[in-house]
């Protein structure tokens, strides 16, 4: 059995806590169990979170669909901006500060990019698979709130079992 360093809890116990934290967060919002046909998502700050996969490890609220006539293509470099919040920390009643680059492009938080669909480049895989989910359904300049479990999050953080909320996650086309 895998053990973590956190209070001697097993990995399985940490995954259960992660699931509880995600469920706690989602109970405060509207949730749709299915992805709408033709990416016809309800949009806006009060839109529901959509369950984006069968495992329930990614949920997405669409604030803006973006340019549906200008959508990312696999292999393209995509830039992103976001603030990310620890949902487990919120669930435990703690104050949570966001980390990311949407509020301050300086201090080492400059541009973040990935190569859409490339699962071999460390510059892409470092962000995990979950952050790419909106690119399958929306256009450039879209904006979403995204809940990503640790198993699909940053590769350096998988074993921490911490789910994150990506607020105001925006994707932009690389300009050459």
């Amino acid at each position: 059995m895998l053990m973590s360093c956190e209070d001697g809890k097993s990995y399985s116990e940490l995954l259960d806590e992660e699931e509880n934290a995600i469920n706690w967060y989602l109970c405060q919002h509207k949730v749709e169990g299915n992805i709408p046909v033709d990416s016809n998502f309800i949009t806006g700050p009060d839109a529901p979170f959509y369950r984006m996969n069968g495992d329930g490890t990614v949920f997405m609220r669409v604030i803006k669909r973006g340019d549906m006539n200008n959508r990312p293509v696999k292999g393209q470099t995509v830039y992103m901006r976001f603030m990310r919040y620890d949902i487990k920390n919120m669930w435990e009643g703690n104050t949570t500060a966001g980390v990311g680059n949407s509020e301050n492009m300086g201090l080492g938080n400059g541009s973040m990019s990935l190569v859409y669909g490339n699962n071999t480049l460390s510059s892409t895989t470092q962000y995990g698979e979950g952050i790419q989910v909106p690119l399958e359904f929306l256009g450039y300049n879209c904006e979403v709130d995204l809940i990503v479990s640790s198993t699909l999050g940053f590769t350096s953080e998988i074993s921490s079992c911490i789910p994150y909320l990506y607020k105001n996650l925006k994707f932009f086309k690389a300009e050459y």
Side-chain angles (χ1 to χ4, degrees), residues 127-156:
Y127 299 110
E129 295 176 32
I131 202 163
Q132 293 190 51
V133 168
L135 300 174
E136 295 176 42
F137 302 95
L138 303 170
Y140 281 114
N141 302 314
C142 66
E143 180 178 345
V144 301
D145 291 341
L146 194 68
I147 296 171
V148 179
S149 75
S150 61
T151 57
L152 295 180
F154 281 38
T155 55
S156 62

Side-chain angles (χ1 to χ4, degrees), residues 45 101 106:
N101 66 344

Side-chain angles (χ1 to χ4, degrees), residues 39 52 60 70-80 112-140 142 171-174 176:
S39 300
M52 301 305 293
M60 179 174 75
N70 188 12
R71 296 180 62 178
V73 175
K74 290 190 178 185
Q76 286 182 331
T77 298
V78 178
Y79 286 89
M80 57 193 167
M112 294 181 177
S113 66
L114 54 82
V115 176
Y116 176 41
N118 186 311
N119 294 320
T120 58
L121 288 175
S122 62
S123 60
T124 295
T125 60
Q126 70 177 332
Y127 299 110
E129 295 176 32
I131 202 163
Q132 293 190 51
V133 168
L135 300 174
E136 295 176 42
F137 302 95
L138 303 170
Y140 281 114
C142 66
F171 294 99
F172 304 98
K173 187 174 191 171
Y176 298 103

Side-chain angles (χ1 to χ4, degrees), residues 42-72:
I42 298 169
T43 62
D46 296 323
F49 277 93
Y50 292 91
R51 183 181 179 141
M52 301 305 293
N53 61 9
D55 296 334
T57 53
V58 178
F59 291 84
M60 179 174 75
R61 172 191 292 154
V62 179
I63 308 300
K64 293 186 336 190
R65 280 194 259 301
D67 184 351
M68 295 302 285
N69 294 318
N70 188 12
R71 296 180 62 178

